[in-house]
Amino acid sequence: MLIGCPKEIKPQEYRVGLTPHAAAEAIAHGHDVIVEMGAGEGSGFTDDAYRAIGAGVVDTADEVFARADMVVKVKEPQAVERAKLREGQVLFTYLHLAPDPDQTRDLIDSGATAIAYETVTDRDGRLPLLAPMSEVAGKLAPQVGAWTLQKANGGRGVLMGGVPGVGPAKVVVIGGGVVGTQAARVASGMGADVTVLDMSLPRLRQLDDMFRGEFKTSYSSKARTAELVAEADMVIGAVLIPGAAAPKLISRAELSEMKPGAALVDVAIDQGGCFETSKATTHQDPIYEVDGIMHYCVANMPGAVARTSTLALGNATLPYMLRLADLGWRAAMEADEGLLAGLNVHAGKLTNYAVGRALEIDVVSPSLAIKA
Ligand SMILES: NC(=O)c1ccc[n+]([C@@H]2O[C@H](COP(=O)([O-])OP(=O)(O)OC[C@H]3O[C@@H](n4cnc5c(N)ncnc54)[C@H](O)[C@@H]3O)[C@@H](O)[C@H]2O)c1
């Protein structure tokens, strides 16, 4: 199979869909690889690094899309990229179709087979191609929160770990899933006094067993959350209710109960945010103040550490990409229901029920679609 990787063109996207390491694996499996010139630059991979492992470097995205049997990317294809897709071609990337009717319509019209990273599931029903980006965002959250807390940035001027004789920052993490766990680990590693809130008791038990007092856990009742937030120097929002917008867990009125200059880091901003006063910001202009409380609400946090994010995403996507290439997409999906769950569009039909419901478009079951 010929696997192609174009340069990402969405603004501020520095990741690349195929690392030289992943390309080398595909070549070792007997496949051919082409990448667009400069595709890896934003993540620190030169064209020569791709040439060195035997991949072809081509001048334009047009050439990648025209020649590749499977196009591997990071972000959803932009309109100009969608126009290059063709019937029978496989597209493997993040799609996030539910809020995006234009993209959905274009993918259906293209006749291509579009597999979305974010809906691929593993045996336990988890989302293995989303988890690496949650790990990155979780580990980054205390780092950006610590920066936000610095006086020059409008923060309280509190050091995460304190110093001998002066206590550490109090950090509250709301949501103890992938993001929350990584955030708690890093914050506690920086020496902060950390409490993780979750509404799932089994999850709190698991965290308690796994981390043995490295951070405290608490049930996420409204009253307990308000109590902890009022004492906090930093609050990290890391909740997720699958398929729904994030619940608003801190109201604007509650900001006045908080310490002036405290930092709110809303990682759940990509699902609408879990603080009433959150609005999405960018890496260029990441923080703003409301009622004396500093907010950090960057919706694509992994982009700040593009190289780590590219490598982490590549590690997760590689086994799936190899199976799609080795077996062909149809046999690979017949052999793995979790990969089949990634099929969003095939040969002019939408094949994801959640997207169909959101956009009121008819859906064909993925297992039927791949038999057609
Ligand atoms: N901003 C970014 O760049 C970025 C990157 C990755 C992930 N995210 C977002 O981070 C959020 C968390 O993702 P995740 O992978 O950790 O999800 P996850 O499913 O692993 O964890 C979510 C946790 O939230 C808990 N929860 C739900 N409602 C709660 C409530 N009211 N109070 C306390 N806990 C509650 C759940 O029990 C679960 O343990 C998601 O919104 C995700 O989209 C953002």
Side-chain angles (χ1 to χ4, degrees):
M1 178 182 278
L2 177 58
I3 301 168
C5 176
K7 185 174 163 71
E8 293 296 319
I9 56 170
K10 193 166 180 180
Q12 292 176 32
E13 181 52 67
Y14 302 108
R15 289 172 291 177
V16 60
L18 202 58
T19 62
H21 311 96
E25 291 275 345
I27 290 166
H29 279 234
H31 306 292
D32 293 316
V33 172
I34 52 172
V35 296
E36 184 184 348
M37 187 185 288
E41 241 167 44
S43 294
F45 299 116
T46 62
D47 292 339
D48 281 345
Y50 288 97
R51 287 191 190 99
I53 52 89
V57 175
V58 301
D59 289 344
T60 62
D62 282 344
E63 194 172 343
V64 172
F65 280 89
R67 288 176 54 195
D69 301 306
M70 173 161 64
V71 175
V72 179
K73 275 177 50 60
V74 178
K75 293 306 277 186
E76 70 279 4
Q78 305 299 291
V80 287
E81 294 174 313
R82 301 193 303 257
K84 301 185 214 289
L85 289 166
R86 62 186 146 77
E87 202 173 328
Q89 192 168 43
V90 175
L91 172 68
F92 192 36
T93 191
Y94 287 120
L95 292 175
H96 296 288
L97 291 182
D100 196 345
D102 291 347
Q103 187 199 170
T104 306
R105 181 49 57 202
D106 286 352
L107 289 182
I108 291 171
D109 291 347
S110 74
T113 298
I115 306 164
Y117 292 160
E118 72 276 7
T119 63
V120 171
T121 53
D122 66 15
R123 281 191 188 160
D124 302 318
R126 288 186 299 235
L127 304 169
L129 304 187
L130 259 193
M133 294 305 98
S134 287
E135 287 165 345
V136 170
K139 288 204 160 178
L140 200 53
Q143 189 172 315
V144 296
W147 177 81
T148 306
L149 271 181
Q150 289 176 23
K151 203 67 193 164
N153 299 320
R156 257 177 89 59
V158 170
L159 182 64
M160 289 290 270
V163 289
V166 182
K170 285 194 172 167
V171 175
V172 174
V173 180
I174 313 182
V178 180
V179 168
T181 305
Q182 298 307 325
R185 287 186 60 200
V186 168
S188 115
M190 291 166 98
D193 170 352
V194 182
T195 305
V196 177
L197 290 156
D198 204 293
M199 60 197 309
S200 156
L201 272 184
R203 182 60 187 162
L204 291 178
R205 274 191 200 108
Q206 217 175 17
L207 289 175
D208 195 57
D209 283 346
M210 278 159 53
F211 294 99
R212 298 169 166 267
E214 194 179 315
F215 45 79
K216 289 165 268 185
T217 57
S218 183
Y219 185 73
S220 170
S221 67
K222 194 151 177 40
R224 185 66 185 135
T225 305
E227 233 169 65
L228 286 167
V229 164
E231 292 167 7
D233 296 296
M234 182 192 305
V235 180
I236 297 174
V239 298
L240 178 67
I241 300 179
K248 303 293 178 218
L249 301 174
I250 301 181
S251 66
R252 177 156 191 173
E254 283 170 303
L255 297 189
S256 62
E257 306 294 321
M258 293 183 69
K259 296 178 185 169
L264 294 183
V265 179
D266 198 343
V267 185
I269 188 67
D270 63 336
Q271 300 295 326
C274 58
F275 311 132
E276 189 188 351
T277 43
S278 295
K279 61 174 191 311
T281 57
T282 62
H283 292 294
Q284 268 70 33
D285 195 7
I287 56 176
Y288 62 95
E289 179 252 314
V290 179
D291 298 343
I293 304 300
M294 301 310 297
H295 293 57
Y296 175 101
C297 303
V298 173
N300 64 330
M301 291 174 68
V305 287
R307 187 173 171 90
T308 301
S309 300
T310 287
L311 288 165
L313 180 62
N315 291 343
T317 56
L318 178 64
Y320 292 97
M321 183 191 75
L322 287 178
R323 264 181 274 151
L324 287 166
D326 290 351
L327 303 174
W329 65 268
R330 197 185 300 267
M333 288 194 182
E334 280 168 354
D336 180 353
E337 275 185 17
L339 184 54
L340 182 62
L343 188 68
N344 276 225
V345 175
H346 172 60
K349 301 273 190 290
L350 184 67
T351 55
N352 181 287
Y353 286 103
V355 176
R357 269 195 304 278
L359 299 178
E360 297 178 358
I361 298 177
D362 288 342
V363 172
V364 173
S365 121
S367 45
L368 278 183
I370 66 168
K371 287 198 174 74

